[in-house]
């Protein structure tokens, strides 16, 4: 079957976006892996699938698949690109769009110059919800990772994140530490591994080794998790600029029980069709 797609990115975190409202096909994990393959397919970090709403009180449902073919709960950069996609494709003309994801309903607000603000919902720090194996919830945890002991924060934005404070993100041995953390046995559903460097109490640098993908140029939920951890530790204020290798995101959080608000760019790069 020939499948139409749109190639997009949010701060360099790239996506193949597929409208399964006007097209009808069943995407198996091997189809996702082919779409995401940078040589045998289109190439992307995640595949985003647009579906009709499952209930009358949301505008759309969107499914998120990592490059390894696994479906995941949440994708911050993807949510922004989703909002741009459904408006570019005239599937809606709303500027405030509610979307059902596997982690719950999120609200997208389209701002000027293709920027989108996303209410990502409230973070979870309860280890059982993340999930993360720990006796009890704590401000940080120490983990044996390879031949190192690493202190990190554990946060869920609907998907699991481990955040480590470092002096210099450029010096992180991502190729070695990333996979060790992603597959650490104390994260039973694996984890996205973020490395955060403090620039000031309102600015950080961040690199993320994403579950199911590897290092990406940006990770929206990772940026949210890093700010939640940094603010919880008293290192950050309530609105933070997050500098990622692919671009900048603005993250705001008013504290426990409050939603995290992420604002950032979207880009639509090309359209195509692929034989699946
Ligand atoms: N790799 C993530 C999903 C995509 C998250 C990221 N691309 C974002 O922008 O939030 C996971 O397995 O939970």
């Amino acid at each position: 079957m020939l499948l139409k797609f749109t190639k997009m990115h949010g701060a360099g975190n790239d996506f193949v976006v597929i409208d399964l409202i006007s097209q009808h096909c069943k995407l198996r994990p091997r189809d996702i892996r082919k779409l995401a393959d940078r040589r045998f397919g289109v190439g992307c970090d995640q595949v985003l699938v647009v579906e009709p709403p499952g209930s009358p009180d949301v505008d759309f449902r969107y499914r998120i698949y990592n490059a390894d073919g696994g479906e995941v709960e949440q994708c911050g950069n993807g949510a922004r690109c989703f909002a741009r996609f459904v408006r570019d494709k005239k599937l809606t003309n709303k500027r405030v769009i509610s979307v059902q994801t596997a982690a719950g309903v999120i609200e997208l607000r389209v701002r000027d110059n293709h920027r989108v603000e996303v209410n990502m919902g409230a973070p979870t720090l309860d280890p059982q919800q993340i999930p993360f194996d720990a006796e009890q919830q704590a401000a940080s945890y120490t983990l044996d990772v390879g031949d190192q002991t690493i202190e990190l924060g554990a946060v869920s934005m609907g998907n699991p994140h481990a955040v480590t404070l470092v002096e210099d993100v450029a010096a992180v041995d991502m190729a070695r530490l990333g996979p060790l953390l992603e597959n650490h046995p104390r994260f039973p559903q694996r984890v996205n591994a973020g490395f955060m460097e403090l620039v000031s109490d309102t600015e950080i640098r961040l690199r993320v080794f994403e579950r199911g993908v590897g290092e990406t140029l940006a990770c929206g939920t990772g940026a949210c998790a890093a700010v939640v951890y940094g603010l919880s530790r008293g290192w950050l204020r309530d609105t933070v600029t997050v500098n990622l290798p692919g671009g900048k995101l603005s993250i705001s959080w008013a504290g426990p029980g409050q939603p995290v608000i992420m604002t950032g760019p979207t880009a639509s790069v090309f359209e195509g069709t692929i034989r699946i």
Side-chain angles (χ1 to χ4, degrees):
M1 151 173 204
L2 271 180
L3 201 56
K4 284 187 282 183
F5 68 86
T6 300
K7 184 73 184 347
M8 304 183 79
H9 74 83
N13 182 197
D14 66 339
F15 309 107
V16 166
V17 190
I18 295 173
D19 163 7
L20 287 192
I21 296 176
S22 61
Q23 300 180 105
H24 304 287
C25 92
K26 178 109 184 71
L27 289 172
R28 299 153 300 183
R30 68 169 182 225
D31 301 321
I32 299 293
R33 287 191 292 272
K34 175 177 176 182
L35 285 166
D37 191 299
R38 296 191 186 280
R39 288 183 174 73
F40 295 100
V42 179
C44 63
D45 295 328
Q46 279 89 27
V47 174
L48 310 181
V49 172
V50 181
E51 296 181 344
S55 68
D57 44 7
V58 292
D59 298 308
F60 298 96
R61 176 182 179 95
Y62 112 98
R63 292 183 188 276
I64 306 144
Y65 300 89
N66 280 327
D68 69 358
E71 183 171 2
V72 290
E73 308 88 346
Q74 196 57 276
C75 179
N77 290 317
R80 298 197 315 276
C81 288
F82 178 95
R84 170 132 186 216
F85 177 85
V86 292
R87 283 172 53 87
D88 285 355
K89 293 293 178 187
K90 307 273 184 279
L91 294 172
T92 184
N93 59 7
K94 288 183 171 182
R95 294 182 73 88
V96 180
I97 302 164
S98 60
V99 180
Q100 175 73 48
T101 71
V105 177
I106 57 174
E107 186 178 83
L108 317 176
R109 288 176 182 276
V110 177
R111 298 296 189 199
D112 296 335
N113 52 46
H114 298 309
R115 293 177 64 77
V116 178
E117 176 188 302
V118 184
N119 177 330
M120 297 294 293
T124 309
L125 300 175
D126 174 359
Q128 290 195 337
Q129 303 292 318
I130 292 174
F132 173 57
D133 293 346
E135 293 289 306
Q136 59 189 8
Q137 182 172 328
S140 69
Y141 307 90
T142 51
L143 240 64
D144 293 330
V145 180
D147 56 1
Q148 286 176 257
T149 299
I150 287 183
E151 180 187 12
L152 55 80
V155 181
S156 171
M157 290 304 304
N159 59 344
H161 289 270
V163 186
T164 303
L165 179 69
V166 296
E167 284 295 311
D168 175 6
V169 288
V172 173
D173 182 356
M174 203 59 120
R176 188 177 69 83
L177 280 179
L180 285 173
L181 268 169
E182 178 196 8
N183 300 291
H184 198 283
R186 288 183 63 182
F187 288 97
Q189 291 177 14
R190 298 184 294 161
V191 72
N192 299 284
F195 299 87
M196 165 171 76
E197 171 188 339
L198 296 176
V199 175
S200 73
D201 60 5
T202 57
E203 187 174 357
I204 64 172
R205 292 189 187 93
L206 182 69
R207 290 174 66 189
V208 183
F209 190 94
E210 285 199 34
R211 176 179 63 169
V213 185
E215 182 171 7
T216 57
L217 293 180
C219 179
T221 51
C224 296
V227 170
V228 167
Y229 176 52
L231 206 148
S232 303
R233 296 295 308 270
W235 301 329
L236 295 174
R237 307 267 290 276
D238 58 4
T239 297
V240 178
T241 297
V242 180
N243 298 289
L244 295 129
K248 291 179 192 291
L249 299 179
S250 174
I251 308 293
S252 297
W253 187 48
Q258 299 301 312
V260 182
I261 309 297
M262 170 192 62
T263 306
T266 65
S268 189
V269 184
F270 64 87
E271 313 266 342
T273 55
I274 183 169
R275 191 173 307 287
I276 283 285

